[in-house]
Amino acid sequence: MAETTLLTDVTIVNVETGQLFGPTSVLMRDGMLAEIGISIPAEDAAVVDGSGGFLIPGLWDSHVHIFSTADEPETALPLYLINGITGIRDMGALWPIQQQQDLQARIEAGEVPGPRLILSGAWVDAAPGSWPGMFLADTEAEARTVVEQVAEEGWAAVKSYSMLDEPTYLALAEAAAERTLPLVGHIPERVSLATALAAGHDGMEHFGRVTMACSTDEERMLDDLREAMAEGADLARVFEIMAARNRIILETWDDALCDRVLGAMVAEGMHVSPTLVVADFYTGNRPEPDAPRMRMIPAEVREAWGRPDFRLEAMTNDVRALADESIALDRHTFLMAHAAGVPILASSDASFANPYLFHGFSLLDELDLYVTIGLAPREALYTTTVAPPRFFGLVDQDGIIAPGRRADLVLLDANPLDGLDTLRRPRAVIAGGRLFDRDALDDFEAQLREAGE
């Protein structure tokens, strides 16, 4: 890899403003954007002809899980590059933090091709934990102890999870603030959205709790679960109560209330990682077995995806019957949230542990959903190029292509502001200054197909 690369004859797309600049050249040195201009001396640079392509900031997937198996990164990392994704935020893992940090360092050093990695998977749940490898806290004291450990281990954030009770969650939020760690993750199932806003919850994962907060019966739904869990309800009963919420939300969703809820979210700056594409798993919208993306997944993973899944088995007939209406209401509320100015972080929940949610591909599916729902292509791009690095507080990235920024870029054949189809086959992807042309990306695909046989 040349330390200095000059990319010529490109048009730069400013995703924030929608403006185009070019044709121009971009000089990259030591992983950073060094100079942009029409006539830049080549000197010792490797010169790459952009042939009139359109240059955008690299995409981010703000909610993934790449450490759910021992060798998942071997598949996940190239899949992200193939799809123009040069940054990911991991939200929960089975790997020890030291091993995650080691891979993070190797990517940064250029030893392993892959996207920039944010480690926000310090998920905290009530015992026994919803997934293996979680931090556990059932009291306020335990929540504070966990946050101390999270801070000492070097995680980027504290992630709250579904089964925390309200006092423990509030202690977690307070301790995270004291340690200046962002609080992200699920709003626990017994905590209202208003309470989370007051507690300083910075980033919410998944969109359903927004729609639920637009129901005039949100508090009653929370109370039903609080009472059942206080009485020692088993897991089946807990799932039953939560499943019953879909019908209640559909019957009590209120437009005026939703406006107030969304306004409060904007006022508090709460970001949302919607993962709307997850609905495809529950509705059976999945690719054919011989689809290209399926062929790039290891055979043992494909086999596991075909087995019965506890999440599908927990769905009641009522939930299935209401699925289309519930999804439509989520999407309507999402469009309202966008119009109100709620900050959106494009996200997929891709993981080998989440059947048919694909590293790389599912993020592009998510962006297509945003456009289908009503966002302009530029607005959808903003959620994946500009909003994430700003939310993560990255000093060298802000979604703008300018000198002094990290060289994470995607070169496209067509203007993505006219439509997102061009994202599906980038001409080149640049990650940390390292350029992967179309031949290199095709090689990644071929290697993954061979490994998947």
Side-chain angles (χ1 to χ4, degrees), residues 104-303:
Q104 181 186 51
R106 293 177 66 201
I107 292 171
E108 290 299 303
E111 298 171 10
V112 175
R116 189 173 199 173
L117 178 56
I118 304 294
L119 300 176
S120 294
W123 44 9
V124 187
D125 201 10
S130 302
W131 293 92
M134 289 181 147
F135 294 89
L136 302 178
D138 290 304
T139 67
E140 297 173 46
E142 288 174 348
R144 294 184 175 279
T145 298
V146 163
V147 170
E148 287 304 307
Q149 183 178 350
V150 167
E152 290 170 7
E153 290 182 355
W155 297 89
V158 176
K159 178 184 178 182
S160 57
Y161 214 71
S162 300
M163 290 296 112
L164 292 170
D165 64 27
E166 187 168 305
T168 305
Y169 167 76
L170 292 176
L172 191 78
E174 184 176 312
E178 290 171 357
R179 275 293 201 157
T180 64
L181 283 169
L183 178 64
V184 299
H186 297 201
I187 295 177
E189 297 294 342
R190 291 174 283 175
V191 175
S192 71
L193 178 56
T195 297
L197 286 170
H201 197 111
D202 298 290
M204 180 202 306
E205 310 309 310
H206 317 301
F207 196 78
R209 288 302 303 275
V210 180
T211 309
M212 179 175 162
C214 295
S215 161
T216 55
D217 272 358
E218 181 195 24
E219 197 62 31
R220 176 168 70 87
M221 288 184 275
L222 295 171
D223 281 340
D224 287 346
L225 187 59
R226 290 166 182 154
E227 292 170 10
M229 293 189 71
E231 294 169 358
D234 61 17
L235 199 56
R237 177 59 181 152
V238 169
F239 283 160
E240 180 184 346
I241 293 169
M242 290 167 59
R245 291 174 171 177
N246 286 16
R247 181 174 293 279
I248 298 170
I249 293 168
L250 286 167
E251 293 174 349
T252 61
W253 187 95
D254 184 82
D255 190 273
L257 172 60
C258 209
D259 282 338
R260 294 195 296 273
V261 167
L262 299 174
M265 293 175 68
V266 172
E268 296 298 329
M270 178 186 277
H271 288 60
V272 181
S273 303
T275 67
L276 299 181
V277 74
V278 172
D280 285 351
F281 167 63
Y282 291 98
T283 59
N285 182 15
R286 54 197 60 164
E288 295 296 324
D290 62 347
R293 63 176 68 184
M294 286 288 284
R295 294 173 58 201
M296 287 185 248
I297 300 297
E300 62 272 19
V301 176
R302 298 197 304 268
E303 180 183 355

Side-chain angles (χ1 to χ4, degrees), residues 60-121:
W60 279 86
D61 190 330
S62 293
H63 188 126
V64 307
H65 302 271
I66 69 167
F67 300 108
S68 60
T69 70
D71 54 2
E72 189 164 359
E74 296 173 16
T75 300
L77 299 182
L79 280 176
Y80 286 114
L81 295 180
I82 287 167
N83 287 280
I85 297 163
T86 60
I88 57 174
R89 179 175 61 148
D90 191 89
M91 297 299 292
L94 295 183
W95 288 27
I97 180 63
Q98 296 83 2
Q99 292 181 21
Q100 296 181 52
Q101 290 168 337
D102 178 65
L103 178 60
Q104 181 186 51
R106 293 177 66 201
I107 292 171
E108 290 299 303
E111 298 171 10
V112 175
R116 189 173 199 173
L117 178 56
I118 304 294
L119 300 176
S120 294

Side-chain angles (χ1 to χ4, degrees), residues 1-2 5 28 31 110-114 407 429-436 444:
M1 177 183 68
T5 303
M28 297 169 281
E111 298 171 10
V112 175
V429 176
I430 301 160
R434 185 175 180 181
L435 188 144
F436 301 91
F444 282 146

Side-chain angles (χ1 to χ4, degrees), residues 2-24:
E3 292 187 355
T4 305
T5 303
L6 180 64
L7 182 61
T8 65
D9 189 20
V10 297
T11 294
I12 292 174
V13 180
N14 186 316
V15 175
E16 185 167 31
T17 66
Q19 294 176 313
L20 304 178
F21 176 73
T24 190

